[in-house]
Amino acid sequence: MTQNLLLAIVLAPLLGAIIAGLFGRQVGRIGAHSATIAGVGISCALSIYVLYLLVWGGASAYNENVYTWFQVGDYSAHVGFMVDRLTAMMMVVVTFVALLVHVYTIGYMAEDPGYQRFFAYISLFTFAMLMLVMSNNFLQLFFGWEAVGLVSYLLIGFWYKKPSAIFANLKAFVVNRVGDFGFLLGIACVMFYFGTLDYAEVFASLHLVEGRTMALFGGDREFLVVSVICLLLFVGAMGKSAQVPLHVWLPDSMEGPTPISALIHAATMVTAGIYMVARMSPLFEMSEFALSFILLIGATTALFTGLIGMVQNDIKRVIAYSTLSQLGYMTVALGASAYSAAVFHLMTHAFFKALLFLGAGSVIIAMHHEQDMRRMGGLRKLMPITWITMVIGTLALVGTPFFSGFYSKDAIIEAVKYADRPFATYAYWCVLLGAFVTAFYSFRLLYLTFHGQARYRIDDSHGHGDGHAHPPGVLAHKPHESPWVVTLPLVLLAIPSVIIGYVTVGPMLFGDWFGDAIHVAAANDTLARVGEHFQGAAAFALHGFVTPVFWLVVAGFALATLMYLYRPHLAASARRIFAPVVTLLENKYYIDDLYQAVFMRGSVLLGRGLWRGIDDALIDNGLVNGSARLIGRISGRVRRIQTGYLYHYAFAMIVGLIVLLAIVLRAAG
């Protein structure tokens, strides 16, 4: 493994982004997508090669600096790479999903005037995520962290003439600034107490903060330094990985084009927080308090955001709330010290969640950009490839035995059951009930979209055949299967959604696959306790048929089947019976309204008060205009002295001379 190899992996997508972004008009549409796909394809192939070298080729982990950014005193900031098996796995996931999203985009964005710009953005997004996961120091990590935030802002608001998209990208940007402020403070604490931002040096110097305390806000109470650092770093993860209460930006990010929804939610931005905590496992293992807090936040996110998905009607928003819930599962695993299970679920989830998002995009294309599932139905025979791949993605998501999602999701639930720390029992029940919730909203999506009677009508007497000029629920022509550039990525994502868990569960969860990349204290090793009962992937899956999780999944499947396939009137009856709960869920627990009332309107009122009190009254009317008025009044008085008469001036000169002589005589005497 050489430095040039790693540089090629990082810089190939950046080069493609530059070609598509700066020379888009010159190279045209074909040139833009060819350059970016080639760049990400090279990066993906080389990432797979790096993973091969580390796992089967006998190569050791790479940790070297490439060049120095700057040096201030004894501190020097570097660009460098730390590539071990954890990094290599992330590199493969990021580049593979990004590559398929690039191919898919050719079909999805075919009629969009911003075609070249979109390809430049998603390629730049891939570069930023690679810089994040491959970094060997906190400063470069922060660069990648902010870069993915910036590009996500550009992509969510890609349709900048759409007011809801502009609101969504501003919301994502502002909420992430809250998390990133905590993250930056955590990095500052690392620098202050360790004197370095290099991962390896920090991990080698953990004894410097062991038992050390600090006072906060001038109070007398002391807090463990390591707990403060971990909590501040995790605040950053709460923003990027959309954990309660900083989760509100993620559902609104659906305003961006579907390909970027898949890329953000599956393999890039939202996984950054999970990866960061796993990478910092030696640090987090020193703070029981921080891990307990992570467990609480993850469990709350896993269950309560999933409940919102049960009442959503927008096909993309259902999958978005599913992402929130699954990120909660990963966070729960982190809080239970099952870091391997968290990144394992990150990997499996990347494949089947990208599959579900791209499948939803295929449906949206066929429905002429209609996203309301209440205006779909009956698409199974019209879109067989999309349907079967969506079924596969759904089975993986709900945790059906032998599918990839089963191995990672059940491992998390079992690990939490063995966790011995505050909130572990609460977390266990949340992830357990979350299995029922996930099955219900997942099969509800399938039935409303692909099964039952068609709830749209065909009327080619209106519009121009593009679907946009027709009323809701009225299409210009009959839906049909998407072109191969859309369906091929679906098929390629469906394959790992089925088999990747079966193949990798043994070494990744119960072997020493990650090596020194992940550190777990012996007393906290919940996966080791789960591993005592592991007898192979097949036995694990067979045992899954008799666990409470499986029967909760079956219950969710059965209820969704009854309400949305065989007895549709029951859904309306349930809405009437549980109207207060449904209203609460439809309004997302009123958290968005609270933020609007307190923070947004409060900020507006504060800004207006500062403007009127300081800007307008003190600065404009007081200092600026007030000074002008004062000078005007003084000059008005002085102007009366200038009469133009010679004797007035002579008199003034005589008086001045007398005063001057008096001063001189007084000084001399």
Side-chain angles (χ1 to χ4, degrees):
M1 195 188 315
T2 64
Q3 186 181 106
N4 290 337
L5 173 64
L6 300 179
L7 282 172
I9 292 173
V10 170
L11 297 179
L14 178 61
L15 179 61
I18 292 172
I19 294 172
L22 300 183
F23 305 101
R25 290 184 179 179
Q26 289 82 354
V27 300
R29 291 188 165 217
I30 295 176
H33 73 232
S34 299
T36 52
I37 290 174
V40 177
I42 290 169
S43 186
C44 180
L46 295 179
S47 295
I48 293 171
Y49 177 62
V50 167
L51 183 64
Y52 169 80
L53 290 178
L54 288 169
V55 178
W56 297 283
S60 56
Y62 180 95
N63 183 15
E64 291 184 18
N65 294 323
V66 177
Y67 70 92
T68 301
W69 271 358
F70 60 82
Q71 185 160 351
V72 178
D74 295 331
Y75 176 72
S76 57
H78 303 280
V79 172
F81 300 130
M82 174 184 279
V83 180
D84 50 24
R85 291 186 179 187
L86 173 61
T87 307
M89 183 271 288
M90 287 294 298
M91 289 161 59
V92 171
V93 170
V94 169
T95 54
F96 180 74
V97 174
L99 176 60
L100 296 183
V101 168
H102 276 67
V103 174
Y104 177 94
T105 301
I106 296 174
Y108 192 88
M109 302 292 286
E111 300 177 2
D112 198 285
Y115 190 85
Q116 292 98 313
R117 179 166 57 93
F118 189 81
F119 272 98
Y121 286 169
I122 58 177
S123 192
L124 187 62
F125 202 20
T126 307
F127 159 75
M129 191 64 188
L130 286 171
M131 285 294 287
L132 189 155
V133 300
M134 293 173 67
S135 64
N136 69 348
N137 62 83
F138 282 92
L139 196 60
Q140 185 178 331
L141 171 71
F142 188 71
F143 164 77
W145 196 269
E146 293 302 308
V148 293
L150 171 63
V151 184
S152 70
Y153 167 82
L154 297 173
L155 283 162
I156 294 169
F158 180 79
W159 289 319
Y160 53 85
K161 294 183 180 179
K162 185 179 176 184
S164 58
I166 297 303
F167 178 81
N169 74 346
L170 285 172
K171 186 175 183 179
F173 193 79
V174 171
V175 172
N176 272 278
R177 296 292 68 72
V178 176
D180 292 355
F181 180 68
F183 189 59
L184 190 58
L185 288 177
I187 293 175
C189 286
V190 170
M191 181 64 197
F192 181 79
Y193 285 100
F194 292 97
T196 180
L197 294 178
D198 184 89
Y199 293 163
E201 293 179 14
V202 170
F203 297 155
S205 307
L206 292 177
H207 62 278
L208 295 176
V209 295
E210 191 170 3
R212 193 170 178 179
T213 59
M214 63 187 295
L216 292 178
F217 312 114
D220 296 329
R221 187 176 177 184
E222 296 286 323
F223 298 86
L224 284 174
V225 168
V226 68
S227 293
V228 173
I229 292 174
C230 289
L231 287 174
L232 289 172
L233 292 176
F234 181 66
V235 168
M238 288 169 64
K240 277 290 179 290
S241 294
Q243 296 298 291
V244 171
L246 300 182
H247 67 289
V248 293
W249 68 270
L250 193 65
D252 287 357
S253 70
M254 296 299 97
E255 294 296 333
T258 298
I260 194 52
S261 300
L263 198 54
I264 289 178
H265 287 237
T268 55
M269 184 169 167
V270 296
T271 63
I274 307 301
Y275 168 77
M276 184 273 294
V277 176
R279 172 60 73 193
M280 299 299 128
S281 58
L283 193 62
F284 279 85
E285 279 298 286
M286 297 179 66
S287 176
E288 187 77 8
F289 179 81
L291 290 174
S292 299
F293 179 76
I294 293 171
L295 198 59
L296 171 65
I297 294 297
T300 304
T301 305
L303 178 60
F304 291 96
T305 58
L307 289 171
I308 300 175
M310 296 172 67
V311 299
Q312 295 296 308
N313 295 312
D314 185 307
I315 186 171
K316 285 174 64 178
R317 285 184 179 265
V318 174
I319 305 173
Y321 280 103
S322 167
T323 301
L324 281 172
S325 181
Q326 297 308 306
L327 288 167
Y329 274 85
M330 298 176 209
T331 305
V332 165
L334 297 173
S337 293
Y339 305 98
S340 298
V343 295
F344 183 55
H345 193 49
L346 183 158
M347 177 190 71
T348 60
H349 175 263
F351 295 118
F352 60 73
K353 186 53 59 70
L355 171 59
L356 289 171
F357 266 115
L358 298 185
S362 178
V363 171
I364 292 168
I365 294 171
M367 296 297 296
H368 311 299
H369 298 276
E370 174 63 68
Q371 296 183 197
D372 193 329
M373 297 185 297
R374 293 170 297 184
R375 301 190 185 112
M376 298 181 186
L379 296 177
R380 178 172 64 90
K381 294 181 180 179
L382 302 176
M383 307 180 68
I385 299 176
T386 301
W387 171 72
I388 191 62
T389 52
M390 287 282 281
V391 169
I392 290 171
T394 298
L395 293 175
L397 172 63
V398 302
T400 307
F402 289 102
F403 284 77
S404 62
F406 161 78
Y407 293 102
S408 54
K409 198 171 180 179
D410 268 42
I412 291 173
I413 296 172
E414 290 297 311
V416 175
K417 185 168 70 173
Y418 286 107
D420 184 18
R421 60 173 44 111
F423 305 115
T425 302
Y426 167 76
Y428 177 70
W429 283 104
C430 282
V431 294
L432 202 59
L433 294 174
F436 168 82
V437 173
T438 303
F440 179 83
Y441 66 63
S442 298
F443 284 102
R444 173 178 177 264
L445 183 151
L446 274 181
Y447 295 143
L448 287 177
T449 304
F450 294 100
H451 296 264
Q453 297 297 317
R455 295 180 296 281
Y456 57 87
R457 63 187 179 88
I458 311 300
D459 184 1
D460 56 7
S461 63
H462 298 85
H464 302 86
D466 59 359
H468 291 287
H470 287 75
V474 179
L475 306 182
H477 51 77
K478 192 174 183 179
H480 57 82
E481 188 60 89
S482 300
W484 72 267
V485 290
V486 172
T487 55
L488 178 62
L490 298 182
V491 174
L492 293 178
L493 284 167
I495 295 170
S497 296
V498 176
I499 66 171
I500 195 71
Y502 184 92
V503 173
T504 59
V505 61
M508 280 196 176
L509 290 191
F510 308 115
D512 192 30
W513 199 87
F514 289 110
D516 296 333
I518 290 176
H519 169 75
V520 183
N524 298 334
D525 199 349
T526 52
L527 277 180
R529 299 174 199 175
V530 178
E532 293 173 0
H533 308 285
F534 181 74
Q535 297 178 344
F540 191 8
L542 291 172
H543 178 262
F545 285 107
V546 297
T547 61
V549 181
F550 176 75
W551 293 108
L552 284 168
V553 169
V554 170
F557 161 74
L559 184 60
T561 304
L562 181 66
M563 291 177 63
Y564 294 99
L565 193 60
Y566 293 113
R567 298 287 186 274
H569 65 278
L570 291 178
S573 301
R575 288 184 65 87
R576 288 194 301 270
I577 295 170
F578 299 103
V581 177
V582 172
T583 301
L584 180 67
L585 294 176
E586 286 180 335
N587 287 279
K588 299 166 283 189
Y589 309 112
Y590 297 97
I591 294 176
D592 285 84
D593 301 277
L594 175 66
Y595 288 173
Q596 290 274 356
V598 175
F599 296 109
M600 194 192 79
R601 292 174 189 165
S603 299
V604 170
L605 290 174
L606 177 63
R608 189 172 293 155
L610 293 173
W611 162 58
R612 288 177 176 172
I614 296 179
D615 210 40
D616 191 42
L618 178 61
I619 297 175
D620 286 347
N621 291 323
L623 298 178
V624 179
N625 296 333
S627 300
R629 284 194 297 267
L630 178 62
I631 292 171
R633 289 171 184 171
I634 294 173
S635 63
R637 299 291 186 272
V638 173
R639 190 164 54 245
R640 295 177 184 177
I641 300 173
Q642 298 180 352
T643 61
Y645 295 113
L646 185 61
Y647 60 86
H648 283 170
Y649 298 150
F651 177 74
M653 290 172 66
I654 292 169
V655 171
L657 183 60
I658 292 171
V659 172
L660 181 61
L661 287 172
I663 293 173
V664 171
L665 291 173
R666 184 178 178 86

